[in-house]
Amino acid sequence: MLTALIVDDEPLAREELRLLLQASGCIEVLGECAHALEALPAIHRLKPDILFLDIQMPRISGLELVGMLDPQALPHIVFVTAFDEYALRAFEEHALDYLLKPVDPARLQRTLDRLLLLARREVMVPDSEGAAAPGSGDPGLVAAPLRTIPCIGHNRILLLPLAEVEYVHSDLTGNRVVAGERQGTTELTLRTLEEKSGFLRCHRQYLLNPAQIREILLLEGGLAEVVTCGGHKVPVSRRYLRPLKDQLAIP
């Protein structure tokens, strides 16, 4: 049986879709989320096969949420929305399907039949023989670019604009995002941020925003430190110093 997560800011819409999926007998609904910030940790924790995703949601749209997911572990994406003007954009994002609200049971069943067919193909061709991850039925997925990094701060939720972020640091508490005096922890992986933000890798545990680099201090032993515009010092390991210079066009 395939598993699914429903993400929609309308409770009645979530309930309607959940009942339809349960009635199909072939989908296990792992949970429901009311917005993207709630969905990110749920997707990482539950690893659903399918994401039934509303497009128009507060602060972070469904299209933006897809851009925040690790492309190597992407579920199949089925957009569900009341606005048909999003249809072309949804398919430009290479979603597996697009459903209009209120969801027609017969139309939903066609989507489920397609998902089941894809699942059977993936079982027949093991990963080691070239089958891709669950979301790879959506070839060439190109999601909306990141504009903000959603973070959990002290008793608050932060949406830090990408341009203001100085660096991201991975430690035991998670991935820490630093933007001046503001800091928070994000569910986004360093790999996702590196691929979709334009940030540069300077250390196994650090990513830098090149627009926030004030100077590079060269240290002994082939090491270095970057001083950001906010005055933070970020380590640069030997492995990444030369590639960092090359990316910044420094001789």
Side-chain angles (χ1 to χ4, degrees):
M1 181 177 290
L2 296 174
T3 60
L5 185 70
I6 299 171
V7 184
D8 196 312
D9 62 317
E10 300 175 16
L12 292 178
R14 294 199 304 270
E15 180 182 14
E16 177 190 16
L17 182 55
R18 172 173 50 80
L19 292 174
L20 288 172
L21 292 173
Q22 290 173 339
S24 74
C26 61
I27 301 290
E28 178 187 359
V29 178
L30 299 177
E32 302 174 19
C33 300
H35 50 76
L37 288 171
E38 189 177 67
L40 273 171
I43 294 167
H44 293 159
R45 184 179 72 255
L46 300 173
K47 296 178 172 57
D49 299 315
I50 313 153
L51 190 61
F52 287 93
L53 179 60
D54 188 15
I55 290 181
Q56 193 172 55
M57 296 187 294
R59 302 303 296 270
I60 299 175
S61 72
L63 294 168
E64 291 173 311
L65 173 59
V66 173
M68 295 175 178
L69 300 178
D70 185 342
Q72 301 301 316
L74 195 68
H76 292 299
I77 306 296
V78 177
F79 285 114
V80 186
T81 182
F83 304 96
D84 58 4
E85 64 265 28
Y86 289 113
L88 178 60
R89 177 66 186 281
F91 283 114
E92 285 175 347
E93 305 295 348
H94 297 276
L96 182 132
D97 211 342
Y98 178 97
L99 300 173
L100 280 176
K101 299 176 184 177
V103 175
D104 176 64
R107 178 67 179 81
L108 174 61
Q109 188 58 53
R110 291 200 297 273
T111 299
L112 298 182
D113 290 342
R114 185 180 177 192
L115 287 162
L116 291 169
L117 179 61
L118 285 170
R120 285 195 292 269
R121 289 175 179 171
E122 288 165 1
V123 169
M124 291 172 64
V125 184
D127 289 347
S128 61
E129 296 182 23
S136 64
D138 320 323
L141 184 81
V142 180
L146 288 178
R147 295 183 301 172
T148 60
I149 300 180
C151 300
I152 304 299
H154 181 63
N155 295 325
R156 56 182 173 165
I157 294 174
L158 302 173
L159 293 177
L160 297 177
L162 208 62
E164 297 178 14
V165 173
E166 297 178 44
Y167 68 94
V168 184
H169 171 217
S170 176
D171 59 24
L172 294 177
T173 64
N175 293 327
R176 300 283 299 171
V177 182
V178 178
E181 297 299 316
R182 295 183 295 169
Q183 298 187 20
T185 301
T186 183
E187 289 283 340
L188 274 63
T189 65
L190 289 185
R191 180 170 62 184
T192 296
L193 287 168
E194 185 175 12
E195 291 178 352
K196 299 183 179 182
S197 69
F199 290 178
L200 304 179
R201 179 81 65 165
C202 64
H203 186 281
R204 186 170 59 88
Q205 295 175 288
Y206 285 83
L207 290 177
L208 273 170
N209 182 349
Q212 291 285 344
I213 295 175
R214 188 168 72 194
E215 61 179 325
I216 299 178
L217 305 176
L218 300 178
L219 308 176
E220 294 181 358
L223 301 175
E225 281 184 340
V226 164
V227 181
T228 68
C229 293
H232 298 283
K233 289 186 176 181
V234 179
V236 181
S237 67
R238 296 185 192 90
R239 175 183 176 185
Y240 292 103
L241 180 57
R242 183 69 262 169
L244 180 64
K245 286 183 175 181
D246 290 344
Q247 289 171 306
L248 296 173
I250 298 174

